[in-house]
């Protein structure tokens, strides 16, 4: 989400628009007030509000109305459904008369991904506050799946626009020489369902599973399970952008075992390197790597997921076809093609 905001803000600023980004003076590590109150970054005026209340990724600041009244914007582009600023901006829109866009980012994860407390909070907001959606002029959905979810929540279809996330054009030299390697790259989190991939690896012979990404308290359990069952797993930790490119180019298959993804940007990143994927579940991942074109879809069962990976590793013609399809699909999502759509909406 942060990259989407940055891309849109810097693009529209470069196109001659006056752009302000209002965010919170809060770090992912939990620190508050550690950044400048205001600064200019690449032509964008950034304002960081004092958080009055924080929980998980949620933040509330009493300063937001005051700042918006001072700026007197023509249009406000709000990001992520269910956060307090969604309600604050909806109320201010009626008072101030600006146009408003809500960019939901599809936070519709499953119960077994987020746990009963968070899931109950999600359902409570979606049930009791859904009328707020109608206070926005346009809702931007990442995929048709999100658009349909929002339509079922009562928003008129003509107010919903689908704009997927984008990726950079990659300058890596593609090669058909791949290692027998299955790659997962992303957060080591319960939400990502890594356990399914590791359990599937029990049935995959002569291929190494490589996992890369920041750990959220699960990796020791995963590695202990792998050791107990003689599964060859290599964990690299968080890796640089350069290392990401190297891994995507080496891997014969990219695996994303999430039951639900808002979008699944790593699938497009794999695709731009002509690396096909194996996915499961339903959500943005089905859009980011369409089954039969850029990926194989498998049931979320270790044996079934393993079968799909083995098929991709061993069937050379299938691998060639999906590699080509993944690259072609990813090339339709370059930022250079996505960003002009935002300026059209703003206009």
């Amino acid at each position: 989400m942060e990259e989407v905001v940055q891309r849109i803000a810097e693009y529209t600023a470069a196109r001659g628009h006056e752009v302000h980004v209002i965010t919170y003076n809060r770090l992912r590590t939990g620190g508050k007030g550690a950044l400048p109150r205001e600064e200019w970054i690449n032509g964008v005026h950034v304002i960081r509000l004092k958080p009055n209340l924080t929980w998980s990724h949620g933040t509330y600041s009493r300063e937001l109305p005051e700042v918006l009244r001072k700026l007197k914007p023509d249009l406000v582009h709000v990001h992520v459904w269910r956060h307090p600023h969604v309600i604050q901006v909806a109320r201010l829109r009626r008072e101030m008369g600006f146009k408003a866009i809500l960019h939901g980012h599809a936070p519709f994860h499953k119960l077994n991904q987020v746990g009963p407390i968070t899931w109950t909070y999600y359902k409570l907001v979606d049930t009791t506050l859904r009328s707020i959606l109608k206070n926005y002029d346009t809702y931007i959905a990442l995929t048709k799946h999100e658009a349909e979810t929002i339509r079922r929540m009562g928003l008129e279809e003509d107010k919903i626009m689908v704009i997927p996330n984008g990726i950079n054009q990659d300058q890596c030299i593609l090669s058909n020489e791949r290692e027998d390697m299955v790659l997962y790259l992303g957060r080591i989190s319960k939400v990502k369902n890594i356990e399914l991939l590791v359990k599937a690896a029990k049935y995959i012979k002569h291929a190494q599973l490589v996992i890369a990404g920041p750990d959220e308290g699960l990796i020791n359990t995963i590695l202990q399970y792998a050791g107990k069952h003689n599964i060859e797993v290599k964990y690299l930790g968080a890796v640089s952008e350069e290392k990401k490119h190297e891994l995507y180019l080496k891997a014969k298959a990219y695996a994303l075992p999430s039951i639900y993804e808002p979008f699944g940007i790593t699938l497009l990143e794999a695709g731009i390197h002509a690396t096909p994927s194996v996915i499961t579940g339903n959500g943005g991942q089905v859009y980011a790597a369409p089954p039969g074109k850029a990926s194989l879809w498998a049931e979320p069962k270790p044996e079934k997921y393993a079968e799909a990976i083995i098929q991709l590793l061993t069937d050379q013609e299938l691998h060639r076809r999906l590699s080509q399809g993944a690259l072609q699909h990813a090339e339709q999502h370059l930022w250079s093609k996505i960003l002009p759509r935002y300026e059209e909406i703003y206009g």
Side-chain angles (χ1 to χ4, degrees):
M1 184 274 291
E2 289 99 330
E3 183 180 359
V4 171
V5 173
Q6 179 184 359
R7 293 280 181 175
I8 297 171
E10 292 182 354
Y11 174 81
T12 49
R15 296 282 293 170
H17 301 282
E18 180 184 339
V19 182
H20 309 265
V21 168
I22 303 175
T23 183
Y24 303 106
N25 209 330
R26 177 187 177 191
L27 302 175
R28 283 184 178 271
T29 53
K32 298 178 183 179
L35 298 168
R37 165 72 178 189
E38 297 186 37
E39 64 179 318
W40 286 85
I41 304 174
N42 298 331
V44 178
H45 180 211
V46 179
I47 304 171
R48 300 184 179 93
L49 307 181
K50 177 183 177 181
N52 296 113
L53 179 64
T54 63
W55 66 97
S56 183
H57 296 294
T59 310
Y60 168 75
S61 175
R62 291 191 295 267
E63 294 181 334
L64 179 58
E66 175 188 348
V67 171
L68 278 178
R69 290 189 185 104
K70 183 178 179 180
L71 289 176
K72 298 179 181 179
D74 299 298
L75 182 147
V76 178
H77 187 158
V78 181
H79 291 265
V80 190
W81 168 237
R82 300 196 194 98
H83 283 253
H85 50 250
V86 175
I87 304 170
Q88 290 173 293
V89 170
R91 291 173 175 170
L92 287 165
R93 176 186 175 276
R94 292 196 296 269
E95 171 194 325
M96 298 177 62
F98 52 72
K99 297 291 184 179
I101 294 172
L102 176 55
H103 203 145
H105 292 275
F108 301 109
H109 296 86
K110 308 295 184 183
L111 171 61
N112 60 357
Q113 289 182 291
V114 297
I117 296 176
T118 300
W119 189 80
T120 301
Y121 166 71
Y122 285 175
K123 289 300 178 183
L124 182 64
V125 173
D126 291 352
T127 302
T128 61
L129 298 178
R130 63 174 62 185
S131 62
I132 290 170
L133 294 170
K134 296 185 178 182
N135 290 328
Y136 284 83
D137 297 284
T138 300
Y139 183 100
I140 294 178
L142 300 179
T143 65
K144 291 181 179 179
H145 182 278
E146 181 185 3
E148 178 58 24
T149 301
I150 292 299
R151 191 192 63 77
R152 290 198 303 267
M153 290 172 62
L155 189 61
E156 298 91 335
E157 193 167 346
D158 61 357
K159 279 192 168 187
I160 304 172
M161 298 192 68
V162 176
I163 304 182
N165 288 335
I167 55 170
N168 287 329
Q169 177 70 59
D170 195 88
Q171 303 300 323
C172 293
I173 299 174
L174 301 179
S175 171
N176 293 325
E177 298 298 322
R178 303 272 178 160
E179 298 180 6
D180 284 328
M181 181 178 99
V182 179
L183 172 67
Y184 167 81
L185 199 159
R187 292 184 294 128
I188 315 304
S189 165
K190 181 180 179 182
V191 172
K192 300 297 184 179
N193 200 26
I194 311 295
E195 293 90 343
L196 171 64
L197 176 57
V198 178
K199 290 178 180 179
K202 286 194 301 183
Y203 304 94
I204 303 171
K205 308 299 181 184
H206 312 301
Q208 183 184 44
L209 173 59
V210 174
I211 297 175
D215 177 35
E216 296 187 1
L218 281 182
I219 195 61
N220 287 336
T221 301
I222 289 170
L223 294 179
Q224 287 172 8
Y225 179 91
K228 183 177 178 181
H229 293 86
N230 296 316
I231 301 169
E232 187 181 0
V233 177
K234 186 176 183 180
Y235 175 57
L236 303 178
V239 295
S240 66
E241 289 298 318
E242 183 179 354
K243 186 65 176 179
K244 283 184 184 181
H245 292 297
E246 178 187 327
L247 292 170
Y248 282 131
L249 289 171
K250 282 184 177 180
K252 205 165 187 179
Y254 179 74
L256 184 61
S258 299
I259 298 299
Y260 173 83
E261 282 284 325
F263 188 76
I265 196 67
T266 56
L267 294 167
L268 286 182
E269 291 176 354
I272 205 69
H273 293 86
T275 306
S277 302
V278 179
I279 63 173
T280 189
N282 188 37
Q285 65 268 40
V286 178
Y287 177 90
K293 180 178 182 180
S295 73
L296 289 180
W297 188 94
E299 291 182 56
K301 299 177 181 178
E303 298 91 338
K304 297 293 185 181
Y305 202 70
E307 284 178 12
I309 292 175
I310 292 168
Q311 186 181 6
L312 195 54
L313 292 174
T314 57
D315 188 330
Q316 293 184 3
E317 175 55 29
L318 175 66
H319 189 276
R320 184 199 64 78
R321 179 167 57 82
L322 292 182
S323 294
Q324 187 177 49
L327 177 59
Q328 291 173 348
H329 183 69
E331 287 176 336
Q332 298 305 309
H333 294 80
L334 299 178
W335 279 119
S336 59
K337 297 181 179 181
I338 299 295
L339 289 172
R341 297 179 63 183
Y342 287 105
E343 191 175 24
E344 291 175 10
I345 293 176
Y346 289 0

